[in-house]
Amino acid sequence: METLKTRHLILFAFLTFITMGKAQNNYLSQQVSVSGEIQKPALITLANIQRFNVRQVSQKQNIVCASGEIKKEIKSFKGVLLREIIDSCHVALEKKKERGQFYVYVVASDGYKVIFSLNELLYGPAADQTWLIFEENGKPITEDGRFVVICNSDKITGPRHVKWVEKIIVGKLD
Ligand SMILES: Nc1nc2c(c(=O)[nH]1)N[C@H]1C(S)=C(S)[C@@H](COP(=O)(O)O)O[C@H]1N2
Ligand SMILES: [Mo]
């Protein structure tokens, strides 16, 4: 009788384990599409991301939640500046004075969305600090999807740390 109970427990634990694993995998996106108010839409994968200037950066960066809690410690990462991706897609900017009306938003497969203004991505502190990364601490990103966006110039880095990145979309205010 005892062994039957134990077996049931083991089976239950196993099923819970695979179901949880599946829930996380549902968010998994192997590619990042770039679309919207741009001339050259793109599809970024681990196989073609090398066409950008991929950089290995050794920079200690804590991911801090708005609550103040440190969620993660990044010591190094590998990725591409978001600015470079946006530049390569040629934003459909017809009038210079409309530059301030453009924005870039990052969409994750769990529905999480984060916005950047085009001006801050090109001319603000975020320009050299916002990355689409695919390796963290020397290892490919796995649990958080394949691609993550981080904005290291943010004082509180958690909210604009986007896991399971699926889309980058350029928009324009009317
Ligand atoms: N896709 C996605 N990214 C997300 C979130 C989320 O719910 N979904 N939560 C954010 C918040 S509020 C924080 S503080 C950090 C926490 O990172 P962690 O979950 O890796 O600890 O991720 C951010 N990125
Ligand atoms: Mo958070």
Side-chain angles (χ1 to χ4, degrees):
M1 196 56 193
E2 263 315 299
T3 44
L4 200 66
K5 249 190 187 170
T6 317
R7 272 192 201 168
H8 274 126
L9 255 171
I10 292 171
L11 184 69
F12 177 74
F14 177 69
L15 285 175
T16 312
F17 180 75
I18 54 171
T19 326
M20 279 168 67
K22 205 162 173 263
Q24 283 242 310
N25 275 338
N26 283 343
Y27 294 149
L28 194 68
S29 175
Q30 303 285 352
Q31 56 197 32
V32 178
S33 66
V34 192
S35 64
E37 303 290 325
I38 51 173
Q39 284 162 9
K40 281 173 61 183
L43 202 57
I44 301 169
T45 65
L46 288 175
N48 71 17
I49 196 162
Q50 307 293 336
R51 71 191 167 92
F52 297 105
N53 184 9
V54 171
R55 276 182 273 179
Q56 168 73 46
V57 182
S58 295
Q59 178 184 323
K60 207 173 160 291
Q61 185 64 57
N62 285 343
I63 302 302
V64 189
C65 182
S67 65
E69 190 190 337
I70 297 177
K71 296 281 198 153
K72 190 193 294 223
E73 290 174 29
I74 300 178
K75 295 187 192 79
S76 68
F77 58 86
K78 199 179 211 179
V80 179
L81 280 173
L82 187 54
R83 163 166 59 91
E84 206 198 309
I85 296 172
I86 299 304
D87 269 346
S88 78
C89 291
H90 301 291
V91 174
L93 181 81
E94 280 156 22
K95 300 182 194 132
K96 277 188 187 163
K97 296 245 174 177
E98 289 183 352
R99 202 189 298 273
Q101 289 167 238
F102 284 85
Y103 52 90
V104 175
Y105 64 105
V106 180
V107 184
S109 38
D110 64 336
Y112 196 73
K113 293 189 185 91
V114 155
I115 194 168
F116 295 89
S117 76
L118 182 65
N119 273 335
E120 74 165 321
L121 270 190
L122 299 183
Y123 310 121
D128 296 322
Q129 301 277 342
T130 308
W131 302 84
L132 177 71
I133 66 170
F134 56 94
E135 275 186 28
E136 240 173 46
N137 302 332
K139 291 194 206 95
I141 294 170
T142 49
E143 268 127 73
D144 294 349
R146 290 289 175 262
F147 296 95
V148 165
V149 162
I150 48 171
C151 178
N152 291 338
S153 54
D154 281 355
K155 288 196 174 117
I156 300 290
T157 42
R160 293 209 290 187
H161 163 264
V162 189
K163 302 177 277 186
W164 306 296
V165 174
E166 193 174 50
K167 295 176 195 163
I168 296 169
I169 304 173
V170 178
K172 184 180 176 257
L173 299 174
D174 291 334

